[in-house]
Amino acid sequence: MASAAEQLAANMNIGSFSKATELHKRLLFTLGALIVYRIGTYIPIPGINSQAFLDFFGNPDQQRGILDMFNMFSGGAVERMAVFALNVMPYISASIIVQMMGAVYGPWEKLKKEGGEAGRKTLNQYTRYLTVVLAIAQSMGIAVGLNASQGMVDNPGVFFIATTVVTLTGGTMFLMWLGEQITARGVGNGISLLIFAGIVAVLPGTIGRLLGLAQEGQISAFALIFIVVLAVALVGFIVFMERAQRRLLIQYPKRQEGNRMAGGERSFLPLKVNTAGVIPPIFASSLLMLPATVAQMTANADLPSWMSWLPTAAAQLSHGQPLFLVLYGALIIFFCFFYTSITFNPEDTADNLRKYGGFLPGIRPGKRTAEYIDYVLTRLTTIGAIYITAVCLLPEFMIGQFPAVGYFGGTSILIVVSVTMDTVAQIQSHLLAHQYEGLIKKAKLRGRGQGGRGGGRGMPAPVRR
């Protein structure tokens, strides 16, 4: 027999969606916030020579470098050097640092485990402060680099550097606030939706560029068909893996309640194969972008002899290069295990099961249950880490044979598909909550009507005229 939630989900249709006014407000707010974000990616920073910078960014050597990935995550804001050029990457880097410190630094670990809601707010405040510091450091590097480049700035000088730092830092802080507002008042994770919007915004241009290369004969029809088939296969594989989970059977014992036996129900503890979601590739990209961008921007500068290795390192951090592949894959695997260990604690899960009388059949409650859950979760995380690494690195390995494959990176496809599935799940949950509230209201009205017709205590029977 289907559960109440499954019955409600089966009854969801266009009619139920049209009546969910709260969901309409959330969707409109999310859409408005994304429109504001897209407008900001077209406003250039003050004093920049937009055409000169666009010509610089259009250099084939730059397009094959790390800046192209940075531009993809920012929705094209980098190639226009817009106020949102830094996007939310400083916030993501700050989140990584705070979460890692929360796992190894005693006072922050105590705040995270024992501080409750107040501790979480304190750590979020630390993340915001660190975001400001990282945004200032990155915008200062960009401002100094642009100021030293001939023709990039209309009036180079200290005033341009100061205005650029304030503009880029302010843009990042505004996006951080906008993402938090989307999470609280919209649908889905705000930061993930901003990155999702940036990737989707550059997809039409990417497809047009690919078709243009095919029309000019730079890529063959076979390569074009292969790229399309690869993208479709990746989407199907990602959907399958994101929905895959291991269900652990949980048994609740029977208990005596008066003259009858109650309890004895069975439920499941679902463990996803990919518990970390899209966080590992986003974290890995954000950490890899900072040193790679600095190395690439200083590769052609007049460097001292002891820094002669920098141009070679910058070249190795380009797409498809061995050093880039090794670092990218290692960071993805690390963050899969690290983020899973932060978001899911087997000991807390085992304690909660024991508190409510649940147990895994054949396994003792308490420590043995925690060890078994950790054992299963480690195996699943290993499979999930291999899956995410393969999806993100497969296009990189094939760039040497089919350079156009780089336009459809596995990271971008993974983020788009995962965020889409998460957003759809959020919408369905809001619809489910709306339908559940509607059923409760109908039940209350029906109860009042029955009380009136039956002449219940304290409720006079209706008078017919």
Side-chain angles (χ1 to χ4, degrees), residues 122-350:
T122 302
L123 291 178
N124 287 342
Q125 199 64 24
Y126 291 160
T127 304
R128 295 187 184 99
Y129 294 150
L130 186 57
T131 300
V132 175
V133 175
L134 293 179
I136 290 176
Q138 294 184 25
S139 58
M140 177 66 74
I142 292 174
V144 172
L146 291 174
N147 189 71
S149 302
Q150 294 183 355
M152 293 288 182
V153 181
D154 295 331
N155 296 305
V158 178
F159 182 74
F160 169 78
I161 295 176
T163 55
T164 300
V165 170
V166 172
T167 302
L168 293 179
T169 304
T172 295
M173 300 309 296
F174 176 78
L175 288 182
M176 181 187 69
W177 174 83
L178 191 64
E180 292 176 351
Q181 294 301 310
I182 293 175
T183 303
R185 303 171 59 186
V187 178
N189 187 303
I191 300 299
S192 298
L193 278 175
L194 291 178
I195 299 175
F196 165 84
I199 296 174
V200 171
V202 300
L203 274 181
T206 299
I207 294 174
R209 186 189 311 169
L210 192 63
L211 294 176
L213 292 176
Q215 188 176 7
E216 294 172 1
Q218 298 186 24
I219 60 174
S220 63
F222 171 77
L224 182 62
I225 295 174
F226 176 79
I227 293 171
V228 174
V229 171
L230 177 64
V232 173
L234 276 178
V235 170
F237 180 62
I238 291 170
V239 171
F240 173 78
M241 293 298 294
E242 290 298 321
R243 294 177 65 89
Q245 59 182 222
R246 168 77 182 275
R247 290 186 172 188
L248 298 181
L249 178 63
I250 299 176
Q251 180 74 44
Y252 291 92
K254 294 182 179 181
R255 60 185 183 274
Q256 186 78 26
E257 290 185 358
N259 296 326
R260 64 187 184 90
M261 296 293 293
E265 296 102 354
R266 290 183 176 184
S267 63
F268 294 95
L269 175 64
L271 299 177
K272 292 185 63 176
V273 172
N274 180 24
T275 307
V278 298
I279 297 299
I282 294 177
F283 278 13
S285 300
S286 63
L287 283 187
L288 198 58
M289 279 177 184
L290 182 59
T293 304
V294 172
Q296 215 170 38
M297 296 181 85
T298 58
N300 297 324
D302 188 11
L303 300 174
S305 58
W306 61 274
M307 293 186 65
S308 59
W309 55 269
L310 196 57
T312 305
Q316 288 297 316
L317 286 173
S318 300
H319 285 296
Q321 297 299 320
L323 182 60
F324 175 83
L325 296 176
V326 171
L327 290 179
Y328 194 35
L331 287 174
I332 289 175
I333 294 174
F334 168 76
F335 282 117
C336 281
F337 284 92
F338 174 74
Y339 196 76
T340 300
S341 66
I342 290 178
T343 57
F344 191 93
N345 191 332
E347 294 182 358
D348 292 343
T349 303

Side-chain angles (χ1 to χ4, degrees), residues 65-88:
I66 200 72
L67 289 179
D68 196 44
M69 182 185 291
F70 212 161
N71 186 60
M72 177 191 68
F73 282 126
S74 64
V78 172
E79 64 181 353
R80 292 183 286 270
M81 192 46 64
V83 295
F84 292 160
L86 289 181
N87 206 20
V88 292

Side-chain angles (χ1 to χ4, degrees), residues 98 101-115 123:
V98 170
M101 292 295 293
V104 298
Y105 183 54
W108 286 14
E109 185 179 6
K110 186 177 180 180
L111 272 177
K112 185 177 68 174
K113 291 184 177 180
E114 304 175 6
L123 291 178

